[in-house]
Amino acid sequence: MEFKTSNGRIEIDPSRDGNSFTNEGMVLHTGENLWLEIEGRKHKAVATKVGDVWWVHVLGHTLQFEVVEAGASSADDEGGLTAPMPGKILEVHVTEGQSVASGDILMVMEAMKMEHKIVASSDGKVESIHFKEGDQVPQGAELLTLSE
Amino acid sequence: MLKRTLVANRGEIACRILRACREAGIEGVAIYAENDSGTLFTELADIAVQLEGEGLAETYLNQQQILQIALETGCDSVHPGFGFLSERADFAQAVMDSGLTWIGPSPEAITKMGDKMTARITMKEAGVPVIPGEEVTGGLEEVLQIAPSVGYPLLLKATAGGGGKGMRAVHKQEDLESEARAAMREALNAFGDDRIYVERLLTGSRHIEIQVLADKYGKTIHLGERECSIQRRHQKVFEESPSVALDAELREAMGEAACDAARAVAYEGAGTVEFLVTPKGEFFFLEMNTRIQVEHPVTEMVTGVDLVREQLRIAGGEAMSCGPLNMRGHAIEVRLYAEDPSNNFLPAIGVLKKFIAPTGPGVRLDTGVREGDAVTPDYDPMLAKLIVWAPSREEALQRMGRALDEFVVLGCTTNVRFLRELCTNRDVVDGWTTTDMIDRLWPDGWSPDQSGKILDAGLLIAAACESTNHGKTVTSSVGGSVIPSPFSTISRRYP
């Protein structure tokens, strides 16, 4: 089984015995409640699925794992710069065709009354700009496209 | 005595006030925007009225509509909570002009303290020490002109400000103009007023504030301090009382200065005087918040005083009920935010698919959300305040750590893990809390260590849950055969 995390893709293939799953010396007992057993100590876990993502709370941490459908391509998180929050574009610092360096401020947007800078993550050229000053943008909207 | 109070707020603080009203035998009236219908605070009110319109300006900031509802529902008073209209002198005045009681200080006191420059001048005159800096009456030009004489690093602050909005630290001359423009723009958006002023940035200092209470009978007291040094984006995330930095002598000196500040504006009700305390033990007036504050529960836990109840009592014309204070133990509050601490504390949204709050001895949760609620970008991303009390600071940190471990929020990213790690952070444990500590400790940003065992555990759970369709399977006892109570079938046991 394959999952996508913030640090890339991970595969796991736990062994199953009835409602219990084992991997890396840990045993998870499933049922109405989730119990994780590590070296004879039990830890309660809570998990729920939102869309394709499993949200897991265990050992005081909250983790997210996106289910990857078998055969899906892995090139889906490259390229565009997206709005981290719904908000309003305050400033556009670049024009189409302009070359930018990693770390350059491309746009400034406002969300929840705070200003956020949209910064180039790599060197490149501004291929297209999708919003102008004053535009409202939804979360996840691609703001502009950079090419290598 | 007040009989019916309109609470001009929403969420967590509306819940807090409506509960206090119920305890005091006062009927509570809630107002809510359409997207808040069905949320907890509307249920805690005796009467709940939906506001017409969309967006803050048409709803929670709509003075005229709110006042009209207060009159139509037969209220005799208005409690503004914090944020929204709480520090709007014109609203306080409008409430009073309508013949209602404003639960807060006079419009004059709000005006004097709300305008940060006037406050500085008033405090100087009252003999309360203020931060070295310059008041600015002109616009950007004057800011640029004056800044070099104050010296770097400096802080640009919104004259009408609060809550970290319109506040910018400037470390070198080159950044001044762009930061000043950003601060003015933020200030204009947040407060409708783009004036800013310049203050020296006191690095390595602590943010310590004094809670005050004043009634109509000339009694003004302080209820000790809250240390709120641990901040991100100039917003507090971790507050405690008492502060390790204060001894009895400094506490008394600051307490007296706070009472002087309150008396200088003929203050009535609950208020907070904020100070910066330098490593040398000097203290400077920052500002006075003329309302109940987010972190008021910390003071309530160590003093035993119900601050909101006292507000209601004082506004109703009674004397404050608290006599000599007997502070005991240690209290800590953390603010649970819908935000991503590993991404510069950027606000997050989502649906609270799981929201399991901690309980147990010494644990208090002030929240306005419940499992299933949606977290939207429409309002402040604070989900809850978790407060603990314990006999000592060490035990309070341990209790907070335990409580945060129990806190499960799934479906929306929160800062719960960040708060958890603060509880065992060396500097926090040792009491080396300063306003710049988050930047100092995590200059490249904070991120949770989810490698090794944590990742393996999470992965195993995700895989097992995906395989078993966890949470989707209908168990036989739900909706199926209900186990009959032995009491209702008692006669059948002896056929």
Side-chain angles (χ1 to χ4, degrees), chain B residues 106-310:
Chain B
S106 69
E108 293 77 26
I110 297 174
T111 304
K112 277 190 182 156
M113 288 301 188
D115 188 278
K116 303 305 171 197
M117 266 190 299
T118 312
R120 273 180 68 92
I121 295 161
T122 312
M123 289 306 103
K124 268 191 204 169
E125 286 168 4
V128 179
V130 299
I131 299 175
E134 291 290 340
E135 292 93 26
V136 179
T137 46
L140 182 68
E141 294 282 295
E142 198 183 335
V143 173
L144 298 181
Q145 204 175 25
I146 269 173
S149 68
V150 174
Y152 294 91
L154 57 79
L155 204 56
L156 303 170
K157 288 167 108 177
T159 300
K165 310 228 165 80
M167 191 189 287
R168 296 273 161 161
V170 186
H171 293 270
K172 47 188 195 296
Q173 177 79 35
E174 299 93 273
D175 300 335
L176 180 65
E177 187 169 343
S178 66
E179 293 295 337
R181 282 183 193 280
M184 290 172 79
R185 204 163 39 220
E186 257 183 36
L188 185 66
N189 286 340
F191 314 111
D193 179 349
D194 72 350
R195 288 175 305 149
I196 56 174
Y197 67 102
V198 187
E199 225 171 53
R200 185 161 341 133
L201 177 63
L202 297 168
T203 51
S205 52
R206 293 168 184 264
H207 177 116
I208 298 176
E209 58 191 30
I210 305 282
Q211 175 71 51
V212 296
L213 262 186
D215 64 19
K216 294 181 201 297
Y217 303 94
K219 189 172 171 189
T220 300
I221 64 163
H222 77 85
L223 294 94
E225 77 279 12
R226 292 186 289 262
E227 162 142 13
C228 316
S229 296
I230 308 181
Q231 307 182 352
R232 54 108 190 83
R233 297 168 166 277
H234 300 293
Q235 282 181 335
K236 303 159 189 170
V237 289
F238 183 107
E239 298 114 337
E240 62 182 315
S241 183
S243 163
V244 297
L246 263 55
D247 55 19
E249 198 184 333
L250 187 52
R251 178 171 300 119
E252 220 27 61
M254 289 175 67
E256 259 322 297
C259 289
D260 285 345
R263 286 188 204 102
V265 294
Y267 201 84
E268 264 175 34
T272 298
V273 184
E274 299 189 336
F275 294 99
L276 270 187
V277 178
T278 68
K280 281 185 277 181
E282 309 159 283
F283 63 91
F284 298 107
F285 172 84
L286 264 182
E287 60 183 42
M288 181 167 188
N289 295 308
T290 52
R291 51 170 162 82
I292 193 74
Q293 258 184 308
V294 176
E295 60 272 25
H296 75 275
V298 167
T299 299
E300 295 186 323
M301 300 295 264
V302 291
T303 60
V305 174
D306 183 335
L307 288 167
V308 177
R309 189 77 188 263
E310 292 295 344

Side-chain angles (χ1 to χ4, degrees), chain A residues 42-98:
Chain A
K42 63 182 180 55
H43 306 271
K44 187 162 182 181
V46 183
T48 190
K49 199 176 185 183
V50 183
D52 288 332
V53 179
W54 277 102
W55 289 68
V56 176
H57 184 271
V58 68
L59 302 169
H61 280 264
T62 306
L63 302 98
Q64 292 171 55
F65 299 94
E66 189 180 338
V67 179
V68 178
E69 296 296 331
S73 91
S74 62
D76 49 351
D77 36 22
E78 318 280 313
L81 290 149
T82 54
M85 290 292 302
K88 192 171 88 177
I89 301 297
L90 290 181
E91 293 169 5
V92 179
H93 285 239
V94 290
T95 54
E96 288 181 4
Q98 186 181 333

Side-chain angles (χ1 to χ4, degrees), chain B residues 482-495:
Chain B
V482 178
I483 301 164
S485 157
F487 298 102
S488 59
T489 59
I490 206 155
S491 60
R492 279 191 272 150
R493 290 171 70 187
Y494 306 99

Side-chain angles (χ1 to χ4, degrees), chain B residues 40 67 79 111 147 158 198 224 296 312 378 384 394-395 400 411 436 464:
Chain B
L40 182 60
L67 208 49
H79 195 310
T111 304
V198 187
H296 75 275
L312 298 173
D378 301 333
E394 187 188 6
E395 289 159 292
M400 181 59 84
D436 47 14

Side-chain angles (χ1 to χ4, degrees), chain B residues 443-474:
Chain B
D444 302 317
W446 175 90
S447 60
D449 179 16
Q450 298 186 336
S451 55
K453 195 169 79 174
I454 308 287
L455 182 65
D456 286 345
L459 202 53
L460 174 61
I461 293 162
C465 288
E466 180 67 13
S467 303
T468 58
N469 227 347
H470 179 70
K472 288 272 165 57
T473 46
V474 180

